[in-house]
Amino acid sequence: MATEQPAAEVPARTGVGIVGAGPAGLFLAHLLGLAGIDSVVVERHSRRHVEERIRAGVVEHGIAELLESGGVGDRMRREGLVHHGIELRFGGAGHRIAMSELTGGKAITVYGQQEIVKDLIAARIESGGPLVFEAEALAIEGVDGPSPAVRYRLEGRERVLSCDVVAGCDGFHGISRAAVPAGAAIEYQREHPFGWLGILARVAPSTEELIYCRHERGFALHSMRSPELSRFYLQVAPDEPLESWPDERIWAELRLRLSTTGDWSLADGPILERSITAMRSFVLEPISFGSLHLAGDAAHIVPPTGAKGMNLALADVHDLAGSLTALLVEGDEGPLEAYSKRCVRRAWQAQEFSTFMTTLLHPLPGDDFGNRLQLARLEQLVGSADAARHLSERYVDLASTATTGGGRS
Ligand code: APR
Ligand code: PHB
């Protein structure tokens, strides 16, 4: 079994035990390393699997700065696509939201989550810090005491990693939340009555900026990854089988929904990847329990319409790294004690924006009243600079500014 880290060399004790090598776990390990704090990352999948998993692609203004200031933003700055606006398309017409103009020059960077993951893995390996793939965490124990432990399986054998602190960065389907003592947290959830069919296609984008399109047949999004790769999403039923979407049907549906009265056309190409994801909103409150602290998708899930999931995950662990540095280097418990409160506040701000974008753009079959309201709201957004500014401020820079009502965390 291939692991990047020889099993014999994985320490049995560390400062911070990190479960999960997604953007949250990897950025946390990197920032802790910069502060001179030891950590071990255990990840249940292979390196190849986590590097190839296609996920989100929009990096907010302030989050791009955090990656850069952590020394892991060089390739993103070189290869990422900087966008100064988005298009809202409805009723067969496109309307540009000039985000940079409306936010004092802020912009988003379109750069795939798996590219950030590759950059963070490369930085971790270069630093020599332990990062163990194909190591599945089974349980987190002793979180109410000073020496918690992560029990995990590597090369068929169970092992124990003793830590000062455990960071649960293992996503929505991880095991960290199971270590939360019964009755210690509230779970707020909302299921949405649709999912997204997402594709990656080898074709030049037919647009310079992202198109968020509301159509009677459902939402469509035209995004991209590079000058040669386009990414698209279609609103579908949450339990829709992928088999009922052959290539021709996908392109025909994208053409129908994205069509305009102007002279715009959609270029197609080979589909390289496709998946259907149900849409969910979830917030856990609080997210710290003794010496266990959750971050990213383990703590909260937002529907992807606001492009906030990865940004929230990175903002959480930037905060967590600073709080752990205060504790483990300076002996100051204060920042870590308020970590959960700051993250939960940020999660609800992201939840509010993501719900706003989702309910604005996804028509519900049979809900004629709601569907007319969507059009009225869209008209406000393209007709009022104040409404467009409010959307832009939250779209370009929410995650790094949402803990103190405007100030950086
Ligand atoms: N043991 C070890 N690793 C685990 C376990 C386990 N028991 N369970 C899950 N993991 C790993 C997963 O394999 C995954 O690589 O934890 C990692 C969690 O990563 P993400 O799901 O990417 O979560 P996070 O780092 O919080 O990033 C959130 O990912 O899903 C998107 O939209 C979301 O963009 C957001 C981002
Ligand atoms: C993406 O490119 O994957 C993407 C872009 C914007 C979103 C969601 C996903 O809102």
Side-chain angles (χ1 to χ4, degrees), residues 292-303:
L292 169 66
H293 305 277
L294 305 181
D297 273 16
H300 34 65
I301 297 277
V302 284

Side-chain angles (χ1 to χ4, degrees), residues 55-58 196 210 212 221 223 225 231 233 304-305 307:
R55 294 276 188 82
V58 171
W196 274 16
L210 271 58
Y212 285 82
L221 171 59
S223 180
R225 285 295 177 272
R231 182 103 172 112
Y233 298 95
T305 332

Side-chain angles (χ1 to χ4, degrees), residues 228-311:
E228 298 84 34
L229 286 176
S230 299
R231 182 103 172 112
F232 298 92
Y233 298 95
L234 284 168
Q235 173 186 350
V236 294
D239 52 356
E240 187 91 355
L242 204 48
E243 305 76 62
S244 40
W245 286 89
D247 294 19
E248 314 75 62
R249 182 173 176 207
I250 294 175
W251 290 115
E253 192 63 31
L254 283 167
R255 284 217 166 82
L256 271 173
R257 295 191 193 178
L258 289 165
S259 64
T260 63
T261 45
D263 64 346
W264 182 85
S265 67
L266 177 67
D268 59 32
I271 297 180
L272 308 176
E273 194 265 354
R274 74 191 75 206
S275 62
I276 291 184
T277 326
M279 218 174 266
R280 181 186 279 122
S281 302
F282 170 80
V283 181
L284 185 75
E285 223 178 302
I287 60 169
S288 290
F289 312 89
S291 43
L292 169 66
H293 305 277
L294 305 181
D297 273 16
H300 34 65
I301 297 277
V302 284
T305 332
K308 294 296 171 217
M310 173 175 64
N311 291 292

Side-chain angles (χ1 to χ4, degrees), residues 208-228:
E208 285 181 4
E209 297 180 333
L210 271 58
I211 304 172
Y212 285 82
C213 175
R214 185 218 175 264
H215 188 277
E216 278 60 39
R217 296 176 66 88
F219 170 74
L221 171 59
H222 187 339
S223 180
M224 63 200 69
R225 285 295 177 272
S226 72
E228 298 84 34

Side-chain angles (χ1 to χ4, degrees), residues 192-194 214 216 235 359 362-368 370-371 374:
H192 299 275
F194 38 78
R214 185 218 175 264
E216 278 60 39
Q235 173 186 350
T359 52
H362 293 75
L364 294 180
D367 182 14
D368 295 343
N371 292 336
Q374 286 180 337

